[in-house]
Amino acid sequence: SKQTPGSPLFSYPNKTASELAQIEHLRDPRKVGRRLVELERKEKIRRTGPRVCSITGRHASTWEAIL
């Protein structure tokens, strides 16, 4: 699927996989994480650095869409 301005990464940049999963009401952040890596390989998104995730309390990559 194609990234659109309505996609979560456009509306919520610099979020972790767990934060995006919560925003989208998804139960398994691991699935979100796998999809983020897949989109990174396709150069649709990029990592914006690690920070402490507000959901897990652990350091995690954050992501943003590439325009």
Side-chain angles (χ1 to χ4, degrees):
S1 70
K2 195 173 189 179
Q3 290 289 309
T4 63
S7 296
L9 286 173
F10 281 96
S11 300
Y12 304 99
N14 303 311
K15 296 290 184 189
T16 68
S18 293
E19 291 165 345
L20 289 167
Q22 184 179 60
I23 289 165
E24 292 295 305
H25 307 288
L26 302 171
R27 295 182 184 198
D28 189 356
R30 293 171 296 182
K31 287 184 181 178
V32 175
R34 287 191 293 269
R35 179 69 175 141
L36 291 170
V37 171
E38 183 181 313
L39 290 170
E40 181 185 36
R41 284 189 198 121
K42 294 179 180 182
E43 299 181 354
K44 301 288 185 187
I45 65 172
R46 65 177 156 241
R47 292 175 201 246
T48 55
R51 68 165 171 76
V52 175
C53 175
S54 66
I55 307 299
T56 66
R58 296 180 174 181
H59 281 86
S61 294
T62 56
W63 304 87
E64 71 179 4
I66 298 173
L67 299 176

